[in-house]
Amino acid sequence: MSETNGTILSVNNLKTYFQTEDGVVKAVDGITFELKKGETLGIVGESGSGKSVTNLSVMRLIPEPPGKIVDGDIIFNGIDVRKLSIDEVRKIRGKRMAMIFQDPMTSLNPFLKISTQLMEVTQLHLGHSKQQAYEHAIKMLQTVGIPDAKSRLDGYPHEFSGGMRQRVMIAMALSCDPELLIADEPTTALDVTIQAQILELIKDLKTRMGTSVILITHDLGVVAGMTEKIIVMYAGKVFEQAPTKELFATPANPYTKGLLKSVPDPAHEEGTELYQIPGLPPDVAHLPPGCPFAERCERAEEICRVDYPPFVQINENHWSLCHFAKEVYAESQAHHVK
């Protein structure tokens, strides 16, 4: 059963570090968030911001060494995931919490038939016989919209297109009706029409099954119509978190504003250059003093290069990691009113 307030996942002060030749990489450095039952949370940010590591930590899939969850709580449905043995984690991973990975070609075994890979999940977690597992596998392929599911089931991954392989991955992730589905950049390698289909599919399955979803992406456009709330990550930290509509209308962080300006807008005049945030994300093994975004920030002042920014509460559900969070929010409000 979920906790009393309907929270299915509670992550508190999560820190996941990696030992490298360059030093300690603080890939995730003090992340806190909650996910309610049936809710969709978007986690956005540029590559290397810590999005995937956060969710691999939740699934206990961090390779040790070089990685290690050094601090924090991961409470899933009242269970402290960090305290479970590997065997106990395996019992809930794939059954009660599942993940769709970025690249289906590396996530599916190229030497095994699709049927073998789908059947294995329900035989392991649901105790299905071979026949039950086979029938369930056909049903799952039909659920994710693969035509002629029965004949396609005995194909190999290379016989499927990228979009179809991604559907197979979703079918596998949903085979046991998980309570939590983590989708890590599920549309990165797909063309735009397939992207829309895959997102619609996740949305539809969430509605039908009541699954809670974490959607990881670097594209704010993807999460706009999919999520109830958004976390913006940068350099292993939460830079802003807010309900989706509010974050789009009135961002309170210069980094979020930069990401929003980078989303292509069909209303832009032809020939106008698409905005991009100047510079590159910092090396998290050697972060500068002060705010990690200061060097790229258009409104940075001396304090930003010296003192680490506070996590400012804008209102009940809106927070921003910035010395000037309230000013940035007021500017967004003024701009939004226009």
Side-chain angles (χ1 to χ4, degrees):
M1 285 297 292
S2 58
E3 292 166 30
T4 46
N5 63 353
T7 300
I8 192 167
L9 179 69
S10 179
V11 173
N12 184 43
N13 196 35
L14 177 66
K15 296 182 180 181
T16 303
Y17 296 173
F18 290 82
Q19 293 287 343
T20 71
E21 290 174 1
D22 265 358
V24 176
V25 173
K26 296 179 178 180
V28 170
D29 197 20
I31 298 293
T32 297
F33 66 88
E34 277 193 349
L35 180 68
K36 299 243 183 304
K37 201 164 174 53
E39 189 174 53
T40 300
L41 166 73
I43 300 184
V44 299
E46 292 166 292
S47 296
S49 59
K51 308 182 300 293
S52 293
V53 175
T54 297
N55 290 286
L56 289 170
S57 302
V58 168
M59 296 285 287
R60 287 276 303 272
L61 286 170
I62 296 294
E64 294 187 28
K68 189 171 172 47
I69 300 172
V70 295
D71 197 9
D73 302 312
I74 303 162
I75 311 295
F76 171 67
N77 257 346
I79 303 163
D80 189 340
V81 177
R82 276 195 71 199
K83 289 184 178 161
L84 297 181
S85 68
I86 287 300
D87 282 345
E88 287 169 326
V89 172
R90 283 189 185 129
K91 281 177 187 157
I92 61 168
R93 191 199 293 145
K95 184 179 183 183
R96 298 182 62 193
M97 55 162 88
M99 192 161 180
I100 304 166
F101 294 92
Q102 284 188 35
D103 183 1
M105 204 54 205
T106 54
S107 306
L108 293 167
N109 187 325
F111 300 108
L112 294 179
K113 289 178 179 177
I114 295 295
S115 56
T116 309
Q117 300 186 59
L118 272 172
M119 288 162 66
E120 184 181 43
V121 179
T122 56
Q123 284 177 301
L124 179 69
H125 289 301
L126 303 180
H128 276 182
S129 68
K130 207 167 181 182
Q131 186 59 34
Q132 285 173 316
Y134 191 78
E135 283 165 13
H136 189 74
I138 294 170
K139 190 180 102 188
M140 289 312 299
L141 288 191
Q142 288 167 339
T143 303
V144 297
I146 291 183
D148 204 9
K150 193 168 184 179
S151 63
R152 299 303 305 268
L153 193 58
D154 286 322
Y156 288 88
H158 71 268
E159 297 174 304
F160 286 68
S161 68
M164 287 296 179
R165 282 197 293 267
Q166 193 61 288
R167 285 168 190 261
V168 170
M169 282 296 301
I170 294 171
M172 200 179 287
L174 294 169
S175 282
C176 300
D177 285 357
E179 294 147 70
L180 170 65
L181 176 67
I182 298 172
D184 187 0
E185 304 265 15
T187 60
T188 301
L190 308 175
D191 64 59
V192 179
T193 48
I194 306 292
Q195 271 190 28
Q197 287 174 14
I198 295 292
L199 292 172
E200 204 49 52
L201 175 64
I202 293 171
K203 207 171 174 180
D204 178 47
L205 292 166
K206 174 203 156 186
T207 309
R208 275 193 285 149
M209 296 177 176
T211 312
S212 305
V213 179
I214 296 177
L215 181 61
I216 307 164
T217 179
H218 59 271
D219 184 350
L220 269 161
V222 166
V223 293
M226 287 280 295
T227 59
E228 281 83 30
K229 60 186 182 188
I230 294 177
I231 289 173
V232 178
M233 286 189 70
Y234 186 80
K237 295 277 191 187
V238 172
F239 256 52
E240 186 163 9
Q241 62 184 57
T244 303
K245 283 181 181 166
E246 187 172 334
L247 187 109
F248 273 80
T250 50
N253 195 291
Y255 178 57
T256 309
K257 288 183 95 162
L259 286 179
L260 286 166
K261 276 165 73 179
S262 309
V263 177
D265 183 353
H268 279 178
E269 286 177 37
E270 200 177 329
T272 55
E273 211 168 292
L274 184 64
Y275 176 81
Q276 62 181 35
I277 300 170
L280 293 168
D283 173 2
V284 281
H286 305 102
L287 285 173
C291 174
F293 186 60
E295 289 306 311
R296 306 173 70 195
C297 182
E298 291 173 355
R299 64 166 299 145
E301 296 185 19
E302 191 53 37
I303 188 172
C304 307
R305 294 183 177 88
V306 179
D307 295 339
Y308 198 84
F311 202 41
V312 178
Q313 185 168 12
I314 306 296
N315 58 43
E316 192 188 352
N317 299 308
H318 193 162
W319 297 76
S320 172
L321 189 78
C322 179
H323 288 290
F324 303 105
K326 292 203 165 157
E327 290 90 329
V328 176
Y329 180 69
E331 286 162 19
S332 295
Q333 275 186 314
H335 182 74
H336 186 60
V337 169
K338 284 183 204 169

